[in-house]
Amino acid sequence: MTRIGARAIGRREFLRAGALTGAGLYIGLRLDGAAELAAARPAEFAPNAYLRIGTDGAVTLFADHVELGQGAMTALPMIIAEELEVDWASVTVERMPPDPSAWPRFIRTVGSQSVRGSWQPLRVAGATAREMLVAAGAAGWQVAVSECRAERGFVVHAPTGRRASYGDLASAAAGVPVPRTPALKNPRDFRIIGTRVARVDIPAKVDGGAQYGIDVRVPGMLVATVLRPPSAGNCNASTRPPRAPSRACET
Amino acid sequence: MASFRLTVNGTPRTVEVAADTPLLWVLRDALGLTGTKYGCGIGQCSACAVHVDGAPTRSCRVPISAAANRQITTIEGLAPARSHALQAAWIAEEVPQCGYCQSGQIMAAAALLATTPRPTDGEIDAALDAHICRCGTYQRIRRAVHRAAGTTRTESGQ
């Protein structure tokens, strides 16, 4: 626990200390409805917690780091989408549900590590799904996997030109064994990573829709306020507010 | 506690609160409009800015008794479906980082453009310099206001 002593603790020092000691900045919070978000619905392809592909072809990617305006909620799904081999325009981004028991790894948004720490795991997550979809396509056509490739949300059989969408293959892909070491793209083939895309968090920040901690309400919630004395060390009962806050309600 | 009527985003509302309850908390707690943000509560950061009868106003400093029977516009009521020119400009210029101050920034900018459709940099400063942005998006805010107004930085200079 960080003590607030006479010496001010610089931000970088705090973050470094936190990472070394494993002291997490995250406080687990279970909200109603989280569990229903975590479970994939039947007929969805969800090989890991980072992506879902519906039989209608809808691609949902889950960002597991907190968006602070640093762009993590856009950058991290870009990594998944790249290896998954889908068009960025076809992707819907959502936050990973706030239930730690559903997370594949413990998530801390800290120390400028969001992209660096996610780079490999998210590439693997996307590539895993891509290879399962290709395998499903090959199995369906009864051709060799080596004759098939993924291309922008489709699996294509090169010799015959046959194509199947990820949506059409979603159910079959769910039954394919999960590859342990999927092949990752050659960076020269990147079509999403390295391009400028619109940040997915911005629209909600211009119409009042973006939710912050202070905006969250749950039934029976209590509200706590830090009570500070008017000057350092001046903590007498006489410095407390004269009355309790009034309750507000609409009639 | 007493009853107060006010029009919020075009809809008449009635709230039962203590007379000295700041408009900010009436909007957020009584009416559930959380787009208006609490930043300091003492009128120093302007995150809480809304329109009261069209004028940009720090809602944390307005008791409900003074806001009663007035027309209040919050960020939620600025325009449907992000159709205000400022909202489009804010998105095009990628203005927000954390976004916490932006409701107040946009409301103040909207009030500016309503009275000054082609503002100079100096007029933008005068309208917005009380709005603190800890992320430092000031330059992008300025660009977005100009973009929405169809003006440029060099127009009439500072």
Side-chain angles (χ1 to χ4, degrees):
Chain A
M1 181 148 160
T2 303
R3 297 183 65 228
I4 310 296
R7 181 176 69 91
I9 294 175
R11 172 180 168 272
R12 287 195 185 278
E13 183 179 8
F14 172 72
L15 293 173
R16 192 161 46 234
L20 288 172
T21 62
L25 297 176
Y26 175 83
I27 299 172
L29 180 67
R30 191 171 184 116
L31 302 178
D32 289 348
E36 74 198 25
L37 297 175
R41 291 172 286 279
E44 275 186 334
F45 176 48
N48 52 58
Y50 291 108
L51 66 97
R52 287 199 197 135
I53 299 177
T55 53
D56 59 353
V59 177
T60 307
L61 303 182
F62 294 90
D64 64 356
H65 280 66
V66 178
E67 175 62 63
L68 309 170
Q70 86 282 42
M73 195 168 169
T74 301
L76 269 50
M78 285 170 72
I79 299 169
I80 305 170
E82 182 71 72
E83 291 290 350
L84 179 59
E85 185 52 37
V86 291
D87 283 337
W88 180 247
S90 70
V91 166
T92 300
V93 174
E94 292 182 12
R95 286 195 190 106
M96 188 79 75
D99 176 3
S101 67
W103 298 345
R105 54 181 179 151
F106 186 67
I107 299 160
R108 291 180 297 172
T109 306
V110 67
S112 299
Q113 290 292 325
S114 295
V115 171
R116 284 186 285 171
S118 301
W119 178 249
Q120 191 68 14
L122 295 190
R123 289 188 72 190
V124 170
T128 298
R130 185 190 74 233
E131 289 199 349
M132 292 168 76
L133 288 158
V134 171
W141 293 318
Q142 298 191 316
V143 300
V145 169
S146 58
E147 295 179 350
C148 301
R149 70 174 187 276
E151 188 177 282
R152 306 177 89 127
F154 287 85
V155 175
V156 180
H157 180 231
T160 62
R162 279 180 289 185
R163 298 159 64 84
S165 70
Y166 283 7
D168 288 342
L169 294 169
S171 295
V176 171
V178 178
R180 292 194 186 283
T181 54
L184 303 183
K185 271 188 174 180
N186 188 312
R188 70 159 179 262
D189 297 327
F190 285 166
R191 295 184 301 106
I192 299 173
I193 293 172
T195 67
R196 187 169 190 91
V197 306
R199 270 185 30 220
V200 302
D201 59 298
I202 284 182
K205 289 174 176 174
V206 306
D207 67 4
Q211 265 219 332
Y212 299 82
I214 196 174
D215 303 322
V216 174
R217 307 193 79 170
V218 294
M221 188 174 83
L222 301 177
V223 178
T225 299
V226 175
L227 192 61
R228 294 191 176 89
S231 57
N234 183 5
C235 299
N236 301 326
S238 63
T239 64
R240 291 190 189 134
R243 55 177 165 77
S246 56
R247 294 167 63 99
C249 59
E250 180 180 14
T251 57
Chain B
M1 300 261 276
S3 258
F4 298 93
R5 286 192 206 149
L6 65 171
T7 302
V8 180
N9 299 329
T11 302
R13 311 296 290 263
T14 304
V15 295
E16 186 154 325
V17 296
D20 62 352
T21 306
L23 174 62
L24 170 65
W25 297 110
V26 172
L27 294 170
R28 289 184 53 85
D29 291 348
L31 301 181
L33 295 168
T34 57
T36 306
K37 300 305 183 192
Y38 166 79
C40 68
I42 57 171
Q44 292 298 305
C45 76
S46 305
C48 66
V50 296
H51 297 172
V52 177
D53 291 337
T57 309
R58 297 186 188 92
S59 60
C60 73
R61 301 305 294 163
V62 176
I64 186 63
S65 56
N69 303 314
R70 297 191 187 275
Q71 303 268 345
I72 314 297
T73 309
T74 71
I75 185 69
E76 292 94 338
L78 182 64
R82 305 181 194 121
S83 56
H84 196 284
L86 284 167
Q87 292 172 314
W90 245 245
I91 291 172
E93 294 290 344
E94 222 174 62
V95 173
Q97 289 185 32
C98 85
Y100 197 74
C101 75
Q102 301 293 339
S103 295
Q105 303 272 13
I106 292 170
M107 293 309 286
L112 170 68
L113 292 186
T115 58
T116 311
R118 301 182 64 78
T120 63
D121 281 356
E123 286 163 334
I124 294 172
D125 282 357
L128 294 181
D129 71 0
H131 287 254
I132 298 177
C133 171
R134 180 60 175 81
C135 297
T137 67
Y138 302 109
Q139 298 303 325
R140 294 198 181 204
I141 289 172
R142 184 196 304 285
R143 274 210 300 275
V145 174
H146 280 305
R147 185 180 184 122
T151 49
T152 64
R153 269 215 77 166
T154 57
E155 186 161 319
S156 299
Q158 218 179 322

